[in-house]
Amino acid sequence: MPSVNADCLFLKACRREKVPRPPVWMMRQAGRYLPEYREVRKTASFLDMCHTPELASEVTLQPIRRYDFDAAIIFSDILIPLIAMGAPFEFPEGGPRLAEPFDDAKALERLKRVDAVTGMPWVHEALSLTRSQLDPSKALLGFAGAPFTLFCYLVEGMGSKLFPKVKQMMFRQPELARELLQLLAEQIGEYMVAQLEHGADAVQLFDTWAGLLHPDDYEEFALPYARQVFDRVAQTGAPTIYYVNGNPSLLSAQSAAGSTIVGVDWRSTLREVNRKVPSNVGIQGNLDPLVLLSSPEVVAQRTNRMLQEMDGRPGYIVNLGHGVIPQTPLDSVQAFVETVRASDRSASS
Ligand code: CP3
């Protein structure tokens, strides 16, 4: 299998080596803002796309062809392993839904432990296929939902503003919550290792809902389980990214979870993040994805500001603070990527 070059820009940044410019990619870069994605999506449901390695691989490569990002993230969803574990999520308009949430004492009996390779083969096949087609200068990223964020969807059965069923289980049946989180941590650790064995060069753990927690509850219900995942993946030596959304007060704890890089949302200045994150941990982020609704000029200004705020810090990866939204104009994304590329110190001017 053709594999990634050791001097790939993305991997150099992960090792905190000196780079001529930081690498750039976008969360949700394979998605509905791209007309070529919408074309494929007309022919298949979202779930069918996730379960068909050829389609998943095709849409993974689309943003690389159009924008030449430094990393491709495999097309899948954080809920795919949960479906394999016996939680049949559907994806109607308005987001994922589970007909029978795992919100009572029977939750643990209804979930099955599955083999991380044979029980959820689609993402691994998509990764191998994609790695064989991706230029060796580009990194291929695998990903998974963090145990706490997956627990949120399992127990609530959908996205939510406050996740009341989740909080109720945490506060009324903490033992049950811990058992579910423990099972998820073990499964997700093995799932990420399997992704790395099938062609992923690095993996990102998405803790999208951990920001809903009081810092003490984060330390109890999110951090230990994310840390278990990173401890497992550390045995492979591959770089890891830990993304948390919605709560800048968690940054120090997030930085101690054991990932190579922390992914941050747009609610902090990078100046502040740069100061607070220990120097042996890299930083990824953090343009507000809705800034892409402005104009190419404003996008370039805001992107340059991030580059200035991080100037000189090794281990910086340019990204948005959350996923790109479907309404995003294509020329804004172009301006974002071009601004990063234009900062290349080795380029002649
Ligand atoms: O980043 C990428 O390009 C890779 C693909 C990817 C998807 N989902 C594809 C997707 C990734 C990394 C995810 C992660 C994901 N999925 C997260 C964590 C990141 C985040 O955004 O906070 C979460 C919380 C989910 C769960 C999920 N999946 C939701 C809430 C939704 C509905 C909202 C929406 O955007 O429609 C999905 C569906 C989904 N996942 C789509 C895509 C491209 C849209 C499906 C479609 O094409 O109809």
Side-chain angles (χ1 to χ4, degrees), residues 28-30 32 37 41 46 73 76-77 153 206 208 322:
R28 290 281 183 103
Q29 67 190 20
R32 286 165 297 179
Y37 173 87
R41 181 72 172 74
F46 173 65
I73 181 161
S76 183
D77 198 84
Y153 281 102
F206 285 92
T208 304
H322 201 181

Side-chain angles (χ1 to χ4, degrees), residues 188-330:
I188 292 305
E190 295 305 323
Y191 181 59
M192 288 189 132
V193 169
Q195 292 184 30
L196 291 160
E197 287 168 350
H198 286 80
D201 304 305
V203 284
Q204 172 157 329
L205 195 67
F206 285 92
D207 223 345
T208 304
W209 298 117
L212 291 171
L213 296 171
H214 181 282
D216 292 345
D217 293 320
Y218 175 79
E219 301 257 359
E220 190 173 344
F221 292 99
L223 181 60
Y225 304 97
R227 189 177 276 139
Q228 276 188 52
V229 174
F230 291 120
D231 284 349
R232 176 68 185 94
V233 179
Q235 296 169 16
T236 69
T240 52
I241 306 166
Y242 181 33
Y243 171 77
V244 174
N245 181 44
N247 190 344
S249 79
L250 300 178
L251 183 62
S252 294
Q254 176 191 355
S255 306
S259 65
T260 317
I261 310 270
V262 290
V264 292
D265 73 18
W266 66 92
R267 293 171 182 87
S268 310
T269 64
L270 284 184
R271 200 177 300 286
E272 198 182 340
V273 175
N274 195 354
R275 205 177 57 234
K276 286 191 180 151
V277 172
S279 62
N280 61 344
V281 176
I283 295 168
Q284 173 178 280
N286 78 344
L287 188 74
D288 181 344
L290 301 208
V291 164
L292 298 175
L293 303 180
S294 62
S295 65
E297 294 71 33
V298 173
V299 170
Q301 256 168 36
R302 297 291 192 109
T303 306
N304 273 322
R305 191 193 297 170
M306 296 197 304
L307 293 166
Q308 279 157 18
E309 286 180 303
M310 294 302 282
D311 187 42
R313 180 175 176 129
Y316 176 46
I317 297 168
V318 181
N319 204 316
L320 307 178
H322 201 181
V324 60
I325 68 166
Q327 303 89 313
T328 301
L330 297 171

Side-chain angles (χ1 to χ4, degrees), residues 23 30 59 69 75 83 90 119 123 159 168 170 173 177 208 214 220 237 249 251 268 278 299 309 315 319 340-341 345:
V59 298
F69 287 113
F75 182 81
I83 298 177
E90 292 177 16
V123 77
Q168 183 165 313
M170 281 166 46
Q173 297 169 282
T208 304
H214 181 282
E220 190 173 344
S249 79
L251 183 62
S268 310
V299 170
E309 286 180 303
N319 204 316
V340 180
R341 219 171 272 132
R345 286 194 201 89

Side-chain angles (χ1 to χ4, degrees), residues 50-51 74-85 113-127 141-147 150 183-200 202-206 228-229 232-233 236:
C50 293
H51 287 146
I74 197 68
F75 182 81
S76 183
D77 198 84
I78 60 166
L79 303 176
I80 294 293
L82 295 185
I83 298 177
M85 291 172 72
R113 193 179 283 270
V114 291
D115 185 273
V117 180
T118 56
M120 20 188 119
W122 317 280
V123 77
H124 308 309
E125 289 170 21
L127 282 163
L141 310 186
F143 71 90
L150 294 180
L183 173 62
L184 292 167
E186 291 165 18
Q187 289 265 256
I188 292 305
E190 295 305 323
Y191 181 59
M192 288 189 132
V193 169
Q195 292 184 30
L196 291 160
E197 287 168 350
H198 286 80
V203 284
Q204 172 157 329
L205 195 67
F206 285 92
Q228 276 188 52
V229 174
R232 176 68 185 94
V233 179
T236 69

